[in-house]
Every structure is written in structure tokens, then in C-alpha cells.
Amino acid sequence: MSTLLNGKNGHTTHHRMEMFMNGPTAPRVDQSFAEDVFTFRVMQQRLPKDVYRALLRTVEHGDAMTPATADVIAAAMKEWAMEHGATHYTHWFQPLTGLTAEKHDAFLTPDPDGTAISEFSGSALVRGEPDASSFPSGGIRATFEARGYTAWDCTSPVFLNRNGGTVTLCIPTAFVSWTGEALDKKTPLLRSMQALSEQAIRILKVFGADTGVTAVTATLGCEQEYFLIDREYYFRREDLVTCDRTLFGAKPPKGQQMEDHYFGSIPSRVIAFMSEVERELTRLGVPVKTRHNEVAPCQFELAPLFETANIASDHQMLVMEAMKRVAPRHGLQCILHEKPFKGINGSGKHVNWSMSTNTGANLLDPRDETHTNMQFLTFLVAVIRAVDVHADILRASVASAANDHRLGANEAPPAIMSVFLGDMLTDIIEQLESGNPRKTLKGGKLDLGARTLPQIPRHSGDRNRTSPFAFTGNKFEFRAVGSSAAVAWPGTVLNTIVADSLDYVATLLERAVGGTTDTKKIEIAVRKVLQGIIKQHKRVLFDGDGYTAEWQATAKKRGLPNHRESVSALCTMTAKKNIAMFKKFKVLSKVELESREHIFIEKYIKQVLIEAETASSMARTQILPAALRHQTELAEVVAATEAAGLDADAARAHLEGHLGAVKALRGTLERLDAAVAKHPEEIHKHATQVRDEVRPAMAALRAAVDELETRLPRDLWPIPSYREMLLIR
Ligand code: ADP
Ligand code: MG
């Protein structure tokens, strides 16, 4: 493993190419396994030397590509794709729906003379023009100017999508409006990576080290949690089919209290599913690595090796799609919702994040040479500051109706954005704050005496699972991201807030250090700057149990924001400071940011209303009729008992209890329908009304339905129960 991860200098050209598949410094995996990817290796084999070099210049330095070069690449791509059975090609992009989009065109075009010619030009590769009118734009575009363009992102590899017996060449693209505004998730991610790179290089310059660094890349490794349930049950539940989660369901006698599922042996049907997913993903170049059972029954996890943020983000979309696609072949349904079942753990996506130089150094790896440790601490402190200053936008980046069931709902992790460092780093930060970290910490953990700067162990022993943002060895792990989320947006926000913080730190350092190359002077200047920042932002550091009420109170005292639900979180997106930041680093204009806030709030409303209407429909057409049937049965019992001249008191009491439950069902159903019927015009008002009226009404209806589930005979209960669904093997 260590040799795989070690990407130090001295790459041959060949190695450099391989790494571009995964980003400059991500694990150097041999991409020859990626049969369905037009890898750099394949390109090198198939393209004329000069064309291949021109492509590398575009990928590495962003040089413009000439139409002639694009034509040659397109021709080679088409040839390769058709040899692999592809009949169509598509620009593949990530509109703001949170899904991916594709529109296929055939390679073969019929000729008037009755034959067909195969066509795929450089311009078709580089630019597409899908009808953009039906994608969310958040007001950027009126439908009459619906033009949108897709533009080839040549840093993310082209691949073949095999589905339904067909093969399609997929070209990762950015999606922008005709006026140039980003209509997708990829464009701002790429811009944020650029911003991060520029600011990180300024810091490196201060330290004078790594002078060969020309680029710093954000790296992402995303752990995907998911549920699998038997497909037969899935189809019998309108809520699962429509909303990807259960809206009703009484607590089963056995949930996760036995803690027997986590890392348990994987059921054979599930492992068959997992390995098929892995095979498909491997062909697509996704470096899948880890699989295991998760905490809740029927919950599992898949984790690939980390890659350059942009590629990891594309690959993450492929991971979700592959899981959804493969599960039915095993009679399973893959559920990516953040909280499919009440009462047991929900699913998240841990987004591991770091920064790497093009020379192969992980900037968050504490175990470098002594002189670079101060550099490490600078990056570390900059990230801490970023989370404190921009807790609002970071929280907003993971806000969704679905994620509300996790964050702030007494489940991992809380909605308060805090940073976990672990014992070692906390200690060093404390020492740094109060002066010169020189003293020797006994116990053999740290020796600060011999050197002016601390040597820090790579892995601090503990791993706090309750922290939303934890330092885990040589990267940060952002755990608040929802399982169904596209990681591009949280990734964009992370990159941008850290770029902003690095800019701040770099400015202070450049001023303090001046032109000096005297390491001693640099060190003293850096220490002073870091001390000031630590003093100001240490309130965001928290290593304790994030689930406790005390933390909520402490965080409040410290003045940390705590947006427990999405509407208030999303409304912070367009705060003045956020608009200014995204603008300054050219990640999003004011219009682009506002449009995103609009789209996310709109999505929140739609998602909750779809759930509300589904709940109402199920209650009215499935639950109530079943309850009424049972009511008749109970009434018949009373009548028959009386007719037999027996004491019917118990039977009558039973019936009355049931009538009470039915009445509660009717009442809560009416309340929900009334709440759904209101439509405040203004979008923020509507979202607030949905949050304050519709959601509580749904909860009340659910309580009534779940109560009935415990009362009705099993043969009358119209939908599969938790007990059934959560026991598949
Ligand atoms: P755990 O479940 O204990 O959190 P895993 O090993 O399942 O850990 O996942 C850790 C993830 O972090 C993997 O996807 C791994 O590739 C990723 N990762 C490791 N180093 C980095 C890094 N420098 N940048 C981004 N992600 C990283
Ligand atoms: Mg993790």
C-alpha cells in the first residue's frame, strides 16, 4: 500500500500519464484493468505523438486545443468505441438535479444514397448543445433562451456505458448556459480546484520548499453507505418506489440493538451483488477497494481509493448508478436515501478530502520532513479557520430534505460544524497557541525537545465518529454529506472555503516574512501568524461526544451556528460574505450562487411535498381501508358475542380502542391534506410553511399509521413491515 501511495518525484512520462487517470498524486493504480475507459495509455497508443502531446498540454496546463487536434482525437475515440461495440455517443453531465444527464447520438448517420456513414467530429467531441430548458436553472435562463452548452472536460476520462445490451461512449462535460453561467455541478468544482491550487501554491512559496510545484489538487475519497432490500418488498411499498424511503413502519422487535450486523459476515446474495458492482466499476476505471456491512441491518458500504476531486466526483456518480443498476439482477433494490427506515441508522457519504502537489506530496500529511511540519501546521490551521469562518456555507452544502433526518436529529453527525483533531494534534495546537512548541511530551508519543518543530505521528489513535469534520491521519473526513448527494457541491464548497482561508493566511505570511529566506525568521513569523489564527478560531475545535446535549449548549455558548434543518441552512448560502467569497475566487457569480440557493430550496419543497402526497395516498387508499375492514370484523365480534348471550365488554373495549386509532388516522390525514393544500407564493415562505406545517403533519400521520400497524391483524396489513424488509439475507 505504502508504495502505491508514494508518488514522489521522478516519474517517467509513462507514470505521469497513468497518474493523470487518478490525478497527479492519487494512488498510482495500473489502469489497464479499466477496459471501458479511453485511458491515457490507450490514447498514447492510438494517437499520433504530436496530437497526444497537445492533449497532455491541454490536460496539464489548460492550453487551448485546436480544432484539428480535436478532430484527430475524436476519430481515434470513435474507432476505439466502435471496436468495443459502441453505437452511440453522449455528452455526460451533472445538471443541478443532482443526477447525471445524457442524450445519445448515433455514430452512424444515414446518407441520402441509402448507405450510412459513421461520424464523430472534433466539434461534436468538444461541444454539445442539449436542449437545456427542462433542467433547473434557478432563474438564470428563461425558457425562451433555453440554449445550454456542454463542453468536454478532458481531465476526466471518457468511458463506455454498458446498459440494456447497448454500449454508449460517454464524454464527461461541463454544462453552461449560452451566457456562460454554470448550470451544473462540475463547472464550479473545476473552478474551485483552480482557486485552491493558486492559493496553496502561495503558501508553499512562503516556505520556499517544493519549488517544483506547479499545481495543487484537491483529492476526494468517498465512502458510500447504502441499504439493500428484497425487490419484492420494494415494489409493494409506494413510499419506497416514489420516495426511496419508508414513510410508515412500526418499530421491529429486532433493529440494530444487537450490534451484530456491523462488519458481520456478508450474506451471499449481497456479496454476489457487491462483486458484480465492483466488476462493472473496475471496468469503468473506478478504483473500488473496500466493502463491508454497516451498522444497521441491511446496510452496507463501498469505498474506492481517493482520486483527484473532479474525477472522484464523476466516479462517485458512476458508483451510485452502478449500484442501482446491478441490484435488481440479484432480486435486490439499492436504497441510497439518507434515512430509509425510522429507528435505525441512516446512510451518509464520508467525503475524505486533502490536497496534493503535482510532485506527489500530500499537504495534510504530518509526517514529512521536520521543516515541512510547520508547513503542515499552516495548512491545518488554514482548514480549521475555513470551517469556523464558513461553517454556514459548509453546513448548507450538505442540506437537503433527506439529510435533515440525520443531521440535527440525534444521529451522526450533528448539524454543528466542528473540527476533530485527535489528542496529538490538539496538544500541538495548544502548545503552538501558547508559545513555542518545544517542550517534550513524556510517554514517547512526541518529542518536541530535540527539534524546534514537532514530529507528529501519522495516526492519532482515536477516531471520533460523532464529529462532522475529523482529521483522520493525513486527510479530513467530512461526514455530514448525505448518502444520495452528489459530492461535487460539498467538494466545491470545501475547496473554496479553504482557498479563501489560504489566501488570508498567505497574505499575512507574505507580509510577515517579506523577502527573507532565513528559515529561522520564517519560522518565527509563521508561528506568530498561526498563533493569532488559533486564538481566534479554536472555538470550532471539539473532540468530545457530538451527540450530547452538553455539546449543543457548549457550541451555543461558543457562538457556533447550529442549523438543525435545511431551510435555515440553505438561506445562509447567499449571505454577503459567501457571495463575496465565491465571486473573489471566481467559483460562482452572485447570479450562479443565488440560482443554486433557489434550486436547492425548490428541491426541498418538492421532495417533502411528494412524500406528503404519497403518505396521504397510502393512508387513504391502503391503510384506512384495511383499518375499516378490521373495524367491521371487530364489530362483528361484538355482535356475535352479544348474540351468544355472552359478556361482550372486552370485545367492545377492543373495538372502541380501534375506533380511537382510526379517528386519529382520519384526523391526521385531514391535517396533512390541509397543510399540503397551502402554497405560499414566495419560495422561502413556502419552504418555511412546508417545514413548519407539512413535516409535523406527516409525523403525526405516521404516528397514527404506526399505531394501527401494531393493532391490525398481519393478514390485513397492506404493506410489508419493517420486520419483513429488514430481515433479508
Ligand atoms: P474509514 O471507513 O475508516 O473512514 P476507509 O478506509 O473505508 O476509512 O476510507 C477512507 C477513504 O479515504 C478511502 O476512500 C481513501 O482512499 C480515502 N483517502 C485516503 N487518503 C486520502 C487523501 N489524501 N485524500 C482524500 N481521500 C483519501
Ligand atoms: Mg469513514
Side-chain angles (χ1 to χ4, degrees), residues 369-534:
E369 300 292 293
T370 311
H371 71 276
T372 61
N373 262 345
M374 208 56 179
Q375 182 187 301
F376 161 75
L377 288 174
T378 303
F379 281 104
L380 182 78
V381 167
V383 176
I384 293 170
R385 180 186 174 276
V387 176
D388 188 33
V389 174
H390 299 296
D392 56 351
I393 187 77
L394 190 62
R395 165 67 182 92
S397 78
V398 297
S400 71
N403 216 10
D404 279 356
H405 299 284
R406 292 174 67 233
L407 307 181
N410 282 331
E411 193 185 311
I416 307 159
M417 294 294 115
S418 65
V419 178
F420 168 87
L421 290 181
D423 292 345
M424 301 297 180
L425 287 187
T426 303
D427 182 63
I428 283 156
I429 291 292
E430 276 167 8
Q431 288 185 58
L432 188 57
E433 187 198 354
S434 56
N436 195 347
R438 272 171 201 273
K439 74 176 179 346
T440 303
L441 205 110
K442 295 290 176 205
K445 280 181 183 168
L446 285 177
D447 176 17
L448 297 170
R451 304 159 191 256
T452 35
L453 297 166
Q455 188 71 32
I456 305 153
R458 182 185 287 260
H459 289 290
S460 46
D462 41 2
R463 318 167 42 87
N464 185 322
R465 286 267 159 209
T466 67
S467 175
F469 202 80
F471 187 78
T472 46
N474 56 3
K475 60 188 166 23
F476 275 100
E477 185 170 347
F478 187 25
R479 302 196 181 117
V481 184
S483 50
S484 70
V487 298
W489 176 234
T492 301
V493 169
L494 254 174
N495 294 340
T496 311
I497 66 175
V498 176
D500 178 61
S501 202
L502 290 173
D503 171 39
Y504 173 86
V505 180
T507 305
L508 290 183
L509 289 181
E510 284 159 0
R511 212 177 290 150
V513 169
T516 187
T517 48
D518 177 347
T519 32
K520 197 78 211 150
K521 275 194 189 145
I522 293 177
E523 208 183 287
I524 293 167
V526 170
R527 200 182 306 133
K528 210 167 141 220
V529 166
L530 295 191
Q531 274 164 359
I533 298 175
I534 292 171

Side-chain angles (χ1 to χ4, degrees), residues 255-411:
Q256 63 191 47
Q257 61 272 59
M258 299 293 281
E259 295 175 339
D260 53 356
H261 185 68
Y262 191 55
F263 284 11
S265 67
I266 302 172
S268 51
R269 179 154 65 140
V270 172
I271 203 156
F273 156 82
M274 286 174 167
S275 55
E276 192 172 337
V277 168
E278 286 164 8
R279 274 199 304 281
E280 294 213 349
L281 289 173
T282 303
R283 289 182 74 102
L284 292 168
V286 183
V288 277
K289 179 159 177 280
T290 315
R291 60 187 181 202
H292 62 77
N293 284 6
E294 258 303 326
V295 173
C298 298
Q299 195 187 25
F300 306 91
E301 180 182 299
L302 177 150
L305 291 175
F306 70 95
E307 301 176 280
T308 295
N310 161 42
I311 297 171
S313 153
D314 282 354
H315 281 172
Q316 226 290 307
M317 301 307 288
L318 293 180
V319 166
M320 293 195 283
E321 286 170 9
M323 292 198 306
K324 284 267 180 201
R325 184 173 64 239
V326 171
R329 295 179 207 153
H330 300 268
L332 297 166
Q333 181 67 30
C334 174
I335 298 177
L336 294 175
H337 193 279
E338 282 72 2
K339 190 72 175 178
F341 303 99
K342 192 181 165 186
I344 59 175
N345 270 22
S347 300
K349 182 139 53 197
H350 292 177
V351 174
N352 295 269
W353 176 93
S354 188
M355 296 164 275
S356 286
T357 66
N358 61 317
T359 53
N362 176 356
L363 294 175
L364 288 177
D365 192 339
R367 212 189 221 181
D368 263 314
E369 300 292 293
T370 311
H371 71 276
T372 61
N373 262 345
M374 208 56 179
Q375 182 187 301
F376 161 75
L377 288 174
T378 303
F379 281 104
L380 182 78
V381 167
V383 176
I384 293 170
R385 180 186 174 276
V387 176
D388 188 33
V389 174
H390 299 296
D392 56 351
I393 187 77
L394 190 62
R395 165 67 182 92
S397 78
V398 297
S400 71
N403 216 10
D404 279 356
H405 299 284
R406 292 174 67 233
L407 307 181
N410 282 331
E411 193 185 311

Side-chain angles (χ1 to χ4, degrees), residues 602-630:
E602 201 168 52
K603 189 173 170 188
Y604 171 92
I605 297 171
K606 286 181 185 161
Q607 207 169 342
V608 178
L609 288 183
I610 288 170
E611 287 182 355
E613 283 173 31
T614 305
S616 168
S617 138
M618 287 172 77
R620 197 175 315 103
T621 63
Q622 292 188 287
I623 312 296
L624 185 60
L628 294 180
R629 251 171 247 155
H630 188 48

Side-chain angles (χ1 to χ4, degrees), residues 43-261:
M43 286 192 261
Q44 195 186 25
Q45 284 161 357
R46 291 182 173 239
L47 294 174
K49 265 203 179 70
D50 56 326
V51 173
Y52 179 69
R53 267 195 230 111
L55 172 72
L56 277 191
R57 277 197 301 277
T58 305
V59 173
E60 290 184 25
H61 308 295
D63 292 3
M65 185 180 285
T66 65
T69 303
D71 273 335
V72 177
I73 298 172
M77 228 178 237
K78 183 194 74 184
E79 200 180 274
W80 170 82
M82 290 181 81
E83 279 169 25
H84 284 74
T87 53
H88 290 67
Y89 69 91
T90 180
H91 278 197
W92 182 77
F93 55 103
Q94 296 183 33
L96 292 163
T97 52
L99 306 169
T100 60
E102 47 196 78
K103 176 189 154 209
H104 300 187
D105 278 305
F107 283 126
L108 289 181
T109 315
D111 222 27
D113 69 5
T115 59
I117 47 162
S118 81
E119 240 181 8
F120 182 54
S121 65
S123 63
L125 163 65
V126 172
R127 207 183 83 159
E129 199 181 323
D131 176 6
S133 59
S134 297
F135 293 109
S137 78
I140 283 183
R141 248 180 317 95
T143 32
F144 62 83
E145 48 190 33
R147 227 171 257 253
Y149 295 105
T150 48
W152 180 30
D153 166 21
C154 64
T155 62
S156 185
V158 163
F159 60 92
L160 299 173
N161 177 14
R162 295 177 186 274
N163 197 4
T166 68
V167 185
T168 308
L169 177 72
C170 293
I171 302 151
T173 50
F175 180 43
V176 294
S177 76
W178 72 288
T179 43
E181 277 108 357
L183 295 174
D184 67 346
K185 303 211 173 189
K186 184 193 270 281
T187 307
L189 178 63
L190 289 169
R191 292 174 184 162
S192 73
M193 290 169 70
Q194 180 70 33
L196 183 72
S197 180
E198 283 162 15
Q199 300 308 323
I201 287 174
R202 279 176 66 196
I203 301 279
L204 293 176
K205 283 215 175 103
V206 168
F207 286 95
D210 278 347
T211 38
V213 175
T214 53
V216 169
T217 355
T219 51
L220 289 183
C222 310
E223 305 162 52
Q224 174 74 53
E225 291 179 341
Y226 60 97
F227 279 86
L228 288 173
I229 64 161
D230 195 294
R231 220 162 183 233
E232 203 187 306
Y233 295 137
Y234 171 80
F235 281 124
R236 283 164 52 205
R237 298 226 20 163
E238 192 182 330
D239 47 5
L240 279 176
V241 172
T242 314
C243 315
D244 212 34
R245 79 164 175 118
T246 58
L247 301 168
F248 308 123
K251 202 166 128 326
K254 182 171 183 267
Q256 63 191 47
Q257 61 272 59
M258 299 293 281
E259 295 175 339
D260 53 356
H261 185 68

